[in-house]
Short mmCIF file of all heavy atoms in Angstrom, two decimals:
data_model
loop_
_atom_site.label_atom_id
_atom_site.label_comp_id
_atom_site.label_asym_id
_atom_site.label_seq_id
_atom_site.Cartn_x
_atom_site.Cartn_y
_atom_site.Cartn_z
N MET V 1 33.93 -18.72 1.65
CA MET V 1 32.54 -18.33 1.70
C MET V 1 32.20 -17.72 3.06
O MET V 1 31.46 -16.75 3.13
CB MET V 1 31.68 -19.57 1.41
CG MET V 1 30.22 -19.27 1.35
SD MET V 1 29.84 -18.23 -0.05
CE MET V 1 28.16 -18.56 -0.27
N GLU V 2 32.71 -18.29 4.13
CA GLU V 2 32.44 -17.77 5.48
C GLU V 2 32.98 -16.35 5.64
O GLU V 2 32.34 -15.50 6.25
CB GLU V 2 33.04 -18.70 6.53
CG GLU V 2 32.58 -18.39 7.94
CD GLU V 2 31.08 -18.54 8.14
OE1 GLU V 2 30.46 -19.39 7.47
OE2 GLU V 2 30.53 -17.80 8.97
N GLU V 3 34.15 -16.08 5.08
CA GLU V 3 34.73 -14.74 5.17
C GLU V 3 33.85 -13.73 4.44
O GLU V 3 33.64 -12.61 4.93
CB GLU V 3 36.14 -14.72 4.56
CG GLU V 3 36.81 -13.37 4.71
CD GLU V 3 38.23 -13.35 4.18
OE1 GLU V 3 38.84 -14.42 4.01
OE2 GLU V 3 38.72 -12.24 3.93
N ILE V 4 33.30 -14.12 3.32
CA ILE V 4 32.40 -13.23 2.57
C ILE V 4 31.16 -12.93 3.40
O ILE V 4 30.71 -11.78 3.47
CB ILE V 4 32.02 -13.85 1.21
CG1 ILE V 4 33.25 -13.91 0.31
CG2 ILE V 4 30.90 -13.07 0.55
CD1 ILE V 4 33.04 -14.69 -0.98
N LYS V 5 30.61 -13.95 4.06
CA LYS V 5 29.44 -13.75 4.91
C LYS V 5 29.74 -12.77 6.04
O LYS V 5 28.95 -11.89 6.35
CB LYS V 5 28.98 -15.08 5.52
CG LYS V 5 28.22 -15.97 4.61
CD LYS V 5 27.77 -17.19 5.41
CE LYS V 5 27.10 -18.22 4.58
NZ LYS V 5 26.68 -19.37 5.40
N LEU V 6 30.90 -12.93 6.66
CA LEU V 6 31.29 -12.05 7.76
C LEU V 6 31.46 -10.62 7.28
O LEU V 6 31.01 -9.68 7.94
CB LEU V 6 32.57 -12.56 8.42
CG LEU V 6 32.45 -13.85 9.20
CD1 LEU V 6 33.81 -14.33 9.67
CD2 LEU V 6 31.50 -13.69 10.38
N ARG V 7 32.10 -10.44 6.15
CA ARG V 7 32.30 -9.09 5.60
C ARG V 7 30.98 -8.45 5.23
O ARG V 7 30.75 -7.27 5.49
CB ARG V 7 33.21 -9.13 4.38
CG ARG V 7 34.65 -9.36 4.71
CD ARG V 7 35.50 -9.31 3.48
NE ARG V 7 36.87 -9.64 3.80
CZ ARG V 7 37.89 -9.22 3.10
NH1 ARG V 7 37.73 -8.50 2.04
NH2 ARG V 7 39.11 -9.56 3.48
N GLU V 8 30.09 -9.22 4.63
CA GLU V 8 28.77 -8.71 4.25
C GLU V 8 27.97 -8.32 5.49
O GLU V 8 27.30 -7.29 5.51
CB GLU V 8 28.01 -9.75 3.42
CG GLU V 8 26.70 -9.28 2.89
CD GLU V 8 26.79 -8.13 1.90
OE1 GLU V 8 27.85 -7.94 1.27
OE2 GLU V 8 25.79 -7.41 1.78
N ALA V 9 28.03 -9.12 6.53
CA ALA V 9 27.32 -8.82 7.78
C ALA V 9 27.87 -7.55 8.41
O ALA V 9 27.10 -6.69 8.87
CB ALA V 9 27.42 -9.99 8.75
N ALA V 10 29.18 -7.39 8.42
CA ALA V 10 29.80 -6.19 8.98
C ALA V 10 29.40 -4.95 8.18
O ALA V 10 29.10 -3.90 8.75
CB ALA V 10 31.31 -6.35 9.02
N ARG V 11 29.38 -5.09 6.87
CA ARG V 11 29.00 -3.98 6.00
C ARG V 11 27.54 -3.59 6.25
O ARG V 11 27.21 -2.41 6.39
CB ARG V 11 29.20 -4.37 4.54
CG ARG V 11 28.85 -3.31 3.55
CD ARG V 11 29.14 -3.81 2.11
NE ARG V 11 28.83 -2.81 1.15
CZ ARG V 11 27.61 -2.63 0.61
NH1 ARG V 11 26.63 -3.43 0.94
NH2 ARG V 11 27.39 -1.68 -0.26
N GLU V 12 26.67 -4.57 6.35
CA GLU V 12 25.26 -4.32 6.60
C GLU V 12 25.06 -3.62 7.94
O GLU V 12 24.28 -2.68 8.06
CB GLU V 12 24.49 -5.63 6.57
CG GLU V 12 23.01 -5.47 6.78
CD GLU V 12 22.27 -6.80 6.75
OE1 GLU V 12 22.71 -7.73 6.04
OE2 GLU V 12 21.25 -6.89 7.44
N GLN V 13 25.78 -4.06 8.96
CA GLN V 13 25.67 -3.44 10.28
C GLN V 13 26.14 -1.99 10.26
O GLN V 13 25.53 -1.12 10.88
CB GLN V 13 26.46 -4.24 11.31
CG GLN V 13 25.82 -5.56 11.65
CD GLN V 13 26.69 -6.42 12.57
OE1 GLN V 13 27.81 -6.07 12.89
NE2 GLN V 13 26.15 -7.56 12.98
N ALA V 14 27.22 -1.73 9.52
CA ALA V 14 27.74 -0.36 9.43
C ALA V 14 26.75 0.55 8.72
O ALA V 14 26.51 1.68 9.16
CB ALA V 14 29.08 -0.37 8.70
N ILE V 15 26.16 0.07 7.63
CA ILE V 15 25.18 0.86 6.89
C ILE V 15 23.95 1.13 7.76
O ILE V 15 23.45 2.26 7.82
CB ILE V 15 24.80 0.17 5.57
CG1 ILE V 15 25.99 0.19 4.61
CG2 ILE V 15 23.58 0.82 4.93
CD1 ILE V 15 25.83 -0.68 3.38
N THR V 16 23.48 0.10 8.43
CA THR V 16 22.31 0.25 9.29
C THR V 16 22.58 1.27 10.39
O THR V 16 21.75 2.15 10.65
CB THR V 16 21.91 -1.11 9.91
OG1 THR V 16 21.60 -2.01 8.84
CG2 THR V 16 20.71 -0.98 10.82
N ALA V 17 23.72 1.18 11.04
CA ALA V 17 24.07 2.12 12.10
C ALA V 17 24.12 3.55 11.57
O ALA V 17 23.64 4.49 12.23
CB ALA V 17 25.41 1.73 12.73
N ALA V 18 24.69 3.74 10.38
CA ALA V 18 24.79 5.07 9.80
C ALA V 18 23.40 5.63 9.49
O ALA V 18 23.12 6.80 9.79
CB ALA V 18 25.63 5.03 8.53
N ILE V 19 22.53 4.82 8.94
CA ILE V 19 21.17 5.27 8.60
C ILE V 19 20.39 5.61 9.87
O ILE V 19 19.70 6.64 9.93
CB ILE V 19 20.43 4.20 7.77
CG1 ILE V 19 21.05 4.12 6.37
CG2 ILE V 19 18.93 4.49 7.69
CD1 ILE V 19 20.57 2.96 5.54
N LEU V 20 20.50 4.77 10.88
CA LEU V 20 19.72 4.98 12.10
C LEU V 20 20.11 6.26 12.83
O LEU V 20 19.29 6.80 13.59
CB LEU V 20 19.84 3.76 13.02
CG LEU V 20 19.14 2.50 12.52
CD1 LEU V 20 19.36 1.35 13.50
CD2 LEU V 20 17.67 2.73 12.26
N LYS V 21 21.29 6.78 12.59
CA LYS V 21 21.69 8.04 13.21
C LYS V 21 20.82 9.20 12.72
O LYS V 21 20.71 10.22 13.39
CB LYS V 21 23.16 8.35 12.92
CG LYS V 21 24.10 7.50 13.72
CD LYS V 21 25.52 7.95 13.55
CE LYS V 21 26.40 7.09 14.43
NZ LYS V 21 27.70 7.69 14.66
N PHE V 22 20.19 9.04 11.56
CA PHE V 22 19.39 10.10 10.97
C PHE V 22 17.88 9.85 11.09
O PHE V 22 17.08 10.58 10.52
CB PHE V 22 19.76 10.27 9.49
CG PHE V 22 21.18 10.70 9.30
CD1 PHE V 22 22.16 9.76 9.04
CD2 PHE V 22 21.55 12.03 9.41
CE1 PHE V 22 23.49 10.15 8.88
CE2 PHE V 22 22.86 12.43 9.26
CZ PHE V 22 23.84 11.49 8.99
N VAL V 23 17.51 8.81 11.85
CA VAL V 23 16.11 8.43 11.99
C VAL V 23 15.74 8.52 13.46
O VAL V 23 16.52 8.12 14.33
CB VAL V 23 15.91 6.98 11.47
CG1 VAL V 23 14.49 6.50 11.72
CG2 VAL V 23 16.26 6.88 10.00
N LEU V 24 14.53 9.03 13.72
CA LEU V 24 14.07 9.08 15.10
C LEU V 24 14.06 7.69 15.70
O LEU V 24 13.73 6.71 15.03
CB LEU V 24 12.65 9.66 15.15
CG LEU V 24 12.49 11.12 14.72
CD1 LEU V 24 11.02 11.50 14.69
CD2 LEU V 24 13.26 12.03 15.66
N GLU V 25 14.42 7.61 16.97
CA GLU V 25 14.53 6.31 17.64
C GLU V 25 13.22 5.52 17.58
O GLU V 25 13.24 4.30 17.45
CB GLU V 25 14.95 6.51 19.10
CG GLU V 25 15.34 5.22 19.77
CD GLU V 25 15.99 5.44 21.12
OE1 GLU V 25 16.53 6.52 21.37
OE2 GLU V 25 15.93 4.50 21.94
N GLU V 26 12.09 6.22 17.65
CA GLU V 26 10.80 5.54 17.59
C GLU V 26 10.58 4.82 16.26
O GLU V 26 9.73 3.94 16.16
CB GLU V 26 9.65 6.55 17.79
CG GLU V 26 9.68 7.25 19.13
CD GLU V 26 10.61 8.47 19.14
OE1 GLU V 26 10.80 9.12 18.09
OE2 GLU V 26 11.16 8.76 20.21
N GLN V 27 11.32 5.20 15.23
CA GLN V 27 11.15 4.62 13.91
C GLN V 27 12.22 3.57 13.56
O GLN V 27 12.17 2.98 12.49
CB GLN V 27 11.16 5.72 12.85
CG GLN V 27 10.01 6.69 13.00
CD GLN V 27 10.10 7.83 12.03
OE1 GLN V 27 11.17 8.26 11.65
NE2 GLN V 27 8.94 8.33 11.62
N HIS V 28 13.14 3.31 14.46
CA HIS V 28 14.23 2.37 14.18
C HIS V 28 13.72 0.99 13.79
O HIS V 28 14.20 0.41 12.81
CB HIS V 28 15.16 2.26 15.39
CG HIS V 28 16.09 3.42 15.51
ND1 HIS V 28 17.16 3.41 16.37
CD2 HIS V 28 16.12 4.64 14.91
CE1 HIS V 28 17.81 4.57 16.28
NE2 HIS V 28 17.18 5.32 15.41
N ALA V 29 12.78 0.45 14.54
CA ALA V 29 12.28 -0.90 14.24
C ALA V 29 11.67 -0.96 12.85
O ALA V 29 11.90 -1.92 12.10
CB ALA V 29 11.28 -1.35 15.29
N ALA V 30 10.91 0.07 12.48
CA ALA V 30 10.28 0.10 11.16
C ALA V 30 11.32 0.19 10.05
O ALA V 30 11.19 -0.46 9.01
CB ALA V 30 9.29 1.26 11.06
N VAL V 31 12.36 0.98 10.27
CA VAL V 31 13.42 1.12 9.27
C VAL V 31 14.17 -0.21 9.10
O VAL V 31 14.43 -0.65 7.98
CB VAL V 31 14.40 2.26 9.65
CG1 VAL V 31 15.64 2.25 8.77
CG2 VAL V 31 13.70 3.60 9.57
N ILE V 32 14.50 -0.84 10.19
CA ILE V 32 15.21 -2.13 10.14
C ILE V 32 14.35 -3.17 9.43
O ILE V 32 14.85 -3.91 8.58
CB ILE V 32 15.62 -2.59 11.55
CG1 ILE V 32 16.72 -1.66 12.09
CG2 ILE V 32 16.10 -4.04 11.55
CD1 ILE V 32 17.02 -1.83 13.56
N LYS V 33 13.06 -3.22 9.76
CA LYS V 33 12.16 -4.17 9.09
C LYS V 33 12.11 -3.91 7.59
O LYS V 33 12.19 -4.84 6.79
CB LYS V 33 10.75 -4.05 9.70
CG LYS V 33 9.67 -4.78 8.96
CD LYS V 33 9.41 -6.14 9.55
CE LYS V 33 8.20 -6.84 8.97
NZ LYS V 33 8.35 -7.33 7.63
N ARG V 34 12.02 -2.65 7.21
CA ARG V 34 11.98 -2.31 5.78
C ARG V 34 13.27 -2.71 5.09
O ARG V 34 13.26 -3.24 3.97
CB ARG V 34 11.71 -0.81 5.61
CG ARG V 34 11.68 -0.35 4.19
CD ARG V 34 10.45 -0.87 3.47
NE ARG V 34 10.45 -0.35 2.12
CZ ARG V 34 10.15 -1.06 1.06
NH1 ARG V 34 9.77 -2.31 1.18
NH2 ARG V 34 10.20 -0.52 -0.13
N MET V 35 14.40 -2.48 5.74
CA MET V 35 15.69 -2.88 5.16
C MET V 35 15.75 -4.40 4.97
O MET V 35 16.25 -4.88 3.95
CB MET V 35 16.84 -2.38 6.03
CG MET V 35 16.99 -0.87 5.99
SD MET V 35 18.23 -0.26 7.14
CE MET V 35 19.70 -0.86 6.38
N GLU V 36 15.24 -5.14 5.93
CA GLU V 36 15.22 -6.60 5.82
C GLU V 36 14.32 -7.04 4.68
O GLU V 36 14.68 -7.93 3.90
CB GLU V 36 14.75 -7.22 7.14
CG GLU V 36 15.75 -7.08 8.26
CD GLU V 36 15.19 -7.48 9.61
OE1 GLU V 36 13.97 -7.72 9.74
OE2 GLU V 36 15.99 -7.53 10.57
N ASP V 37 13.15 -6.41 4.55
CA ASP V 37 12.23 -6.75 3.47
C ASP V 37 12.84 -6.47 2.10
O ASP V 37 12.73 -7.29 1.19
CB ASP V 37 10.91 -5.98 3.61
CG ASP V 37 10.10 -6.40 4.82
OD1 ASP V 37 10.39 -7.47 5.41
OD2 ASP V 37 9.17 -5.65 5.18
N VAL V 38 13.47 -5.32 1.96
CA VAL V 38 14.08 -4.94 0.69
C VAL V 38 15.24 -5.89 0.35
O VAL V 38 15.40 -6.30 -0.80
CB VAL V 38 14.56 -3.47 0.73
CG1 VAL V 38 15.43 -3.13 -0.46
CG2 VAL V 38 13.37 -2.53 0.82
N THR V 39 16.01 -6.25 1.34
CA THR V 39 17.12 -7.19 1.12
C THR V 39 16.60 -8.54 0.68
O THR V 39 17.11 -9.14 -0.28
CB THR V 39 17.96 -7.34 2.40
OG1 THR V 39 18.46 -6.05 2.77
CG2 THR V 39 19.12 -8.30 2.20
N ARG V 40 15.56 -9.03 1.36
CA ARG V 40 14.96 -10.31 1.01
C ARG V 40 14.44 -10.28 -0.43
O ARG V 40 14.66 -11.21 -1.21
CB ARG V 40 13.82 -10.63 1.98
CG ARG V 40 13.31 -12.04 1.92
CD ARG V 40 12.25 -12.31 2.99
NE ARG V 40 12.77 -12.08 4.35
CZ ARG V 40 12.44 -11.04 5.13
NH1 ARG V 40 11.58 -10.14 4.71
NH2 ARG V 40 12.98 -10.91 6.32
N GLU V 41 13.77 -9.19 -0.81
CA GLU V 41 13.24 -9.06 -2.17
C GLU V 41 14.37 -8.98 -3.20
O GLU V 41 14.26 -9.55 -4.29
CB GLU V 41 12.35 -7.82 -2.27
CG GLU V 41 11.71 -7.65 -3.62
CD GLU V 41 10.89 -8.85 -4.08
OE1 GLU V 41 10.23 -9.48 -3.24
OE2 GLU V 41 10.94 -9.18 -5.28
N TYR V 42 15.46 -8.32 -2.86
CA TYR V 42 16.61 -8.24 -3.76
C TYR V 42 17.15 -9.65 -4.06
O TYR V 42 17.34 -10.01 -5.21
CB TYR V 42 17.71 -7.37 -3.17
CG TYR V 42 19.02 -7.52 -3.91
CD1 TYR V 42 19.19 -6.97 -5.17
CD2 TYR V 42 20.06 -8.27 -3.37
CE1 TYR V 42 20.37 -7.13 -5.87
CE2 TYR V 42 21.24 -8.44 -4.05
CZ TYR V 42 21.40 -7.87 -5.31
OH TYR V 42 22.57 -8.05 -5.99
N TYR V 43 17.37 -10.42 -3.01
CA TYR V 43 17.90 -11.78 -3.22
C TYR V 43 16.92 -12.63 -4.02
O TYR V 43 17.33 -13.42 -4.85
CB TYR V 43 18.26 -12.44 -1.89
CG TYR V 43 19.59 -11.96 -1.37
CD1 TYR V 43 19.68 -11.09 -0.28
CD2 TYR V 43 20.78 -12.33 -1.97
CE1 TYR V 43 20.89 -10.63 0.18
CE2 TYR V 43 22.01 -11.88 -1.52
CZ TYR V 43 22.05 -11.03 -0.44
OH TYR V 43 23.26 -10.57 0.01
N ARG V 44 15.62 -12.44 -3.77
CA ARG V 44 14.61 -13.16 -4.54
C ARG V 44 14.69 -12.78 -6.01
O ARG V 44 14.60 -13.63 -6.89
CB ARG V 44 13.22 -12.83 -3.98
CG ARG V 44 12.31 -14.01 -3.94
CD ARG V 44 10.97 -13.67 -3.33
NE ARG V 44 11.12 -13.61 -1.87
CZ ARG V 44 10.41 -12.86 -1.05
NH1 ARG V 44 9.45 -12.11 -1.51
NH2 ARG V 44 10.64 -12.88 0.24
N SER V 45 14.90 -11.49 -6.29
CA SER V 45 14.92 -11.00 -7.68
C SER V 45 16.12 -11.52 -8.47
O SER V 45 16.07 -11.57 -9.70
CB SER V 45 14.91 -9.47 -7.71
OG SER V 45 16.18 -8.93 -7.36
N ILE V 46 17.18 -11.89 -7.77
CA ILE V 46 18.35 -12.41 -8.49
C ILE V 46 18.44 -13.94 -8.39
O ILE V 46 19.46 -14.53 -8.70
CB ILE V 46 19.67 -11.76 -8.01
CG1 ILE V 46 19.94 -12.04 -6.52
CG2 ILE V 46 19.67 -10.27 -8.31
CD1 ILE V 46 21.32 -11.62 -6.06
N GLY V 47 17.34 -14.55 -7.95
CA GLY V 47 17.28 -16.00 -7.93
C GLY V 47 17.91 -16.66 -6.72
O GLY V 47 18.17 -17.86 -6.72
N LEU V 48 18.16 -15.89 -5.67
CA LEU V 48 18.78 -16.44 -4.47
C LEU V 48 17.87 -16.36 -3.26
O LEU V 48 18.33 -16.39 -2.12
CB LEU V 48 20.10 -15.71 -4.18
CG LEU V 48 21.20 -15.91 -5.22
CD1 LEU V 48 22.39 -15.01 -4.90
CD2 LEU V 48 21.63 -17.36 -5.27
N GLY V 49 16.57 -16.28 -3.50
CA GLY V 49 15.62 -16.16 -2.41
C GLY V 49 15.66 -17.33 -1.45
O GLY V 49 15.64 -17.15 -0.22
N GLU V 50 15.75 -18.53 -1.98
CA GLU V 50 15.79 -19.72 -1.13
C GLU V 50 17.07 -19.75 -0.30
O GLU V 50 17.05 -20.06 0.90
CB GLU V 50 15.68 -20.98 -1.97
CG GLU V 50 15.50 -22.23 -1.15
CD GLU V 50 15.24 -23.46 -2.01
OE1 GLU V 50 14.50 -23.35 -3.00
OE2 GLU V 50 15.79 -24.52 -1.66
N ALA V 51 18.19 -19.42 -0.91
CA ALA V 51 19.47 -19.40 -0.19
C ALA V 51 19.44 -18.35 0.92
O ALA V 51 19.93 -18.59 2.02
CB ALA V 51 20.61 -19.12 -1.15
N TYR V 52 18.83 -17.20 0.65
CA TYR V 52 18.74 -16.14 1.65
C TYR V 52 17.84 -16.59 2.81
O TYR V 52 18.17 -16.35 3.97
CB TYR V 52 18.22 -14.85 1.03
CG TYR V 52 18.27 -13.69 1.99
CD1 TYR V 52 19.48 -13.07 2.30
CD2 TYR V 52 17.12 -13.21 2.60
CE1 TYR V 52 19.54 -12.01 3.18
CE2 TYR V 52 17.17 -12.16 3.49
CZ TYR V 52 18.37 -11.56 3.78
OH TYR V 52 18.43 -10.51 4.67
N ALA V 53 16.75 -17.26 2.49
CA ALA V 53 15.84 -17.76 3.52
C ALA V 53 16.57 -18.76 4.42
O ALA V 53 16.40 -18.75 5.65
CB ALA V 53 14.61 -18.40 2.89
N GLN V 54 17.38 -19.62 3.83
CA GLN V 54 18.16 -20.58 4.61
C GLN V 54 19.16 -19.87 5.51
O GLN V 54 19.37 -20.25 6.65
CB GLN V 54 18.86 -21.56 3.69
CG GLN V 54 17.93 -22.53 3.00
CD GLN V 54 18.64 -23.41 1.99
OE1 GLN V 54 19.83 -23.27 1.74
NE2 GLN V 54 17.89 -24.33 1.40
N MET V 55 19.78 -18.81 4.98
CA MET V 55 20.74 -18.05 5.76
C MET V 55 20.03 -17.38 6.95
O MET V 55 20.52 -17.40 8.07
CB MET V 55 21.42 -16.99 4.90
CG MET V 55 22.50 -16.22 5.61
SD MET V 55 23.28 -14.97 4.58
CE MET V 55 21.98 -13.75 4.50
N GLU V 56 18.85 -16.81 6.70
CA GLU V 56 18.08 -16.18 7.78
C GLU V 56 17.70 -17.21 8.85
O GLU V 56 17.79 -16.91 10.04
CB GLU V 56 16.80 -15.54 7.23
CG GLU V 56 17.02 -14.24 6.51
CD GLU V 56 15.71 -13.63 6.09
OE1 GLU V 56 14.91 -14.31 5.43
OE2 GLU V 56 15.49 -12.45 6.44
N ALA V 57 17.29 -18.39 8.41
CA ALA V 57 16.91 -19.44 9.36
C ALA V 57 18.12 -19.84 10.21
O ALA V 57 18.00 -20.04 11.43
CB ALA V 57 16.36 -20.65 8.62
N GLY V 58 19.28 -19.95 9.60
CA GLY V 58 20.49 -20.28 10.34
C GLY V 58 20.85 -19.21 11.35
O GLY V 58 21.26 -19.51 12.48
N GLU V 59 20.69 -17.94 10.96
CA GLU V 59 20.97 -16.84 11.88
C GLU V 59 20.00 -16.86 13.05
O GLU V 59 20.40 -16.59 14.20
CB GLU V 59 20.90 -15.50 11.15
CG GLU V 59 22.05 -15.28 10.19
CD GLU V 59 21.88 -14.01 9.36
OE1 GLU V 59 20.85 -13.32 9.49
OE2 GLU V 59 22.79 -13.72 8.56
N ALA V 60 18.74 -17.15 12.78
CA ALA V 60 17.73 -17.19 13.84
C ALA V 60 18.05 -18.30 14.85
O ALA V 60 17.83 -18.13 16.05
CB ALA V 60 16.35 -17.40 13.24
N MET V 61 18.56 -19.40 14.36
CA MET V 61 18.93 -20.51 15.26
C MET V 61 20.11 -20.14 16.13
O MET V 61 20.22 -20.61 17.26
CB MET V 61 19.23 -21.75 14.44
CG MET V 61 18.00 -22.37 13.82
SD MET V 61 18.35 -23.78 12.76
CE MET V 61 19.25 -24.86 13.87
N ASN V 62 21.00 -19.29 15.61
CA ASN V 62 22.19 -18.89 16.36
C ASN V 62 21.89 -17.83 17.42
O ASN V 62 22.70 -17.59 18.28
CB ASN V 62 23.27 -18.38 15.41
CG ASN V 62 23.86 -19.49 14.58
OD1 ASN V 62 23.87 -20.64 14.98
ND2 ASN V 62 24.36 -19.15 13.41
N GLU V 63 20.73 -17.20 17.32
CA GLU V 63 20.40 -16.14 18.28
C GLU V 63 19.82 -16.65 19.54
O GLU V 63 19.43 -17.55 19.94
CB GLU V 63 19.42 -15.14 17.64
CG GLU V 63 20.08 -14.34 16.55
CD GLU V 63 19.11 -13.37 15.89
OE1 GLU V 63 17.89 -13.43 16.17
OE2 GLU V 63 19.57 -12.56 15.10
#
């Protein structure tokens, strides 16, 4: 499970970096926030909203 989390995080970072290359720097924070919101809604729609919230809370504690 940990390996899957690491791979998913790496994939997300790569996608985010690729998208941000095409967005004005002033809009980066808004794009990242929107991506986070859409991701959260996706997990909620497939019944994993609570698990995703727990994962986010764990990441926030690690920062």
Side-chain angles (χ1 to χ4, degrees):
M1 184 66 158
E2 191 62 31
E3 184 177 341
I4 292 171
K5 282 184 185 180
L6 291 173
R7 286 183 185 206
E8 185 64 23
R11 181 178 180 273
E12 182 180 329
Q13 288 174 355
I15 291 169
T16 300
I19 290 171
L20 291 179
K21 285 188 178 198
F22 297 96
V23 175
L24 295 174
E25 191 170 337
E26 299 84 30
Q27 297 175 329
H28 283 192
V31 170
I32 291 169
K33 170 96 172 72
R34 179 69 178 137
M35 291 174 69
E36 290 170 352
D37 292 345
V38 169
T39 302
R40 193 176 301 107
E41 183 56 37
Y42 167 74
Y43 281 107
R44 220 177 283 151
S45 76
I46 62 170
L48 294 173
E50 189 174 321
Y52 187 75
Q54 290 175 356
M55 184 181 73
E56 284 184 307
E59 289 174 358
M61 289 176 56
N62 290 333
E63 291 179 352

